[in-house]
Amino acid sequence: MSGSTMDGYFERYGWAVEKPEPGIWRGSFATHREDEFDLYVMVGEEWVHFAVSPLVAQPDPACQGRLFAALLRLNQQMRLVYFAVDEEGDVNLLAELPRRGFRYDHFAAALDALTGYTDALAHELQRTAHEPDYRSPRLPV
């Protein structure tokens, strides 16, 4: 897959992106609450990696247990994407698809899943990560 192919996928999807480094694309999107997020795509040797990073900034220590328990439960319920915590403690929403046979349909499905789950969950996860007394009715307990 060439860089021009990925450029074409973003154009077809209707997203403006920038390339901070060769093989890496960054675009931004907003949720219905108008929270903005960055989405990164990196084409590796064998995989195409997608990340909404950060989805949630490093949680407060008092909130980590509840947040991480919710993330683990959500990971079992979600399709195509999963949560991970990076070395800075931020929560990211990730997807990985094989590079071999990668097509626009795969690209669009990954972006739809990432933006959809971000829209549905980011606000509740952010509150859970930073408000010790907050209990979300939308997150598994």
Side-chain angles (χ1 to χ4, degrees):
M1 168 188 320
S2 69
S4 63
T5 300
M6 188 61 71
D7 290 337
Y9 287 174
F10 275 109
E11 186 175 320
R12 183 173 170 189
Y13 197 80
W15 271 22
V17 293
E18 61 183 16
K19 291 172 77 171
E21 296 178 34
I24 298 177
W25 290 259
R26 178 178 56 218
S28 296
F29 67 97
T31 64
H32 73 279
R33 292 180 173 271
E34 299 185 16
D35 296 325
E36 290 191 25
F37 295 90
D38 288 330
L39 178 127
Y40 295 87
V41 177
M42 183 184 84
V43 177
E45 294 248 346
E46 296 184 28
W47 295 91
V48 180
H49 305 274
F50 298 81
V52 176
S53 179
L55 181 72
V56 177
Q58 183 179 34
D60 295 343
C63 302
Q64 280 183 343
R66 245 180 340 101
L67 176 67
F68 292 164
L71 295 176
L72 288 170
R73 287 185 183 95
L74 286 167
N75 272 347
Q76 293 179 336
Q77 299 170 10
M78 298 186 312
R79 299 292 176 248
L80 187 61
V81 302
Y82 62 95
F83 295 106
V85 178
D86 66 20
E87 56 276 348
E88 286 128 23
D90 295 334
V91 175
N92 299 306
L93 185 60
L94 308 175
E96 298 169 332
L97 294 169
R99 184 173 173 173
R100 184 176 190 171
F102 189 78
R103 301 185 320 259
Y104 175 77
D105 294 347
H106 303 137
F107 172 85
L111 264 59
D112 289 348
L114 289 161
T115 58
Y117 283 120
T118 298
D119 191 51
L121 298 171
H123 179 76
E124 297 298 313
L125 291 170
Q126 289 172 2
R127 289 194 66 189
T128 301
H130 300 288
E131 298 177 30
D133 296 325
Y134 182 70
R135 301 291 186 263
S136 172
R138 300 191 69 197
L139 299 179
V141 184

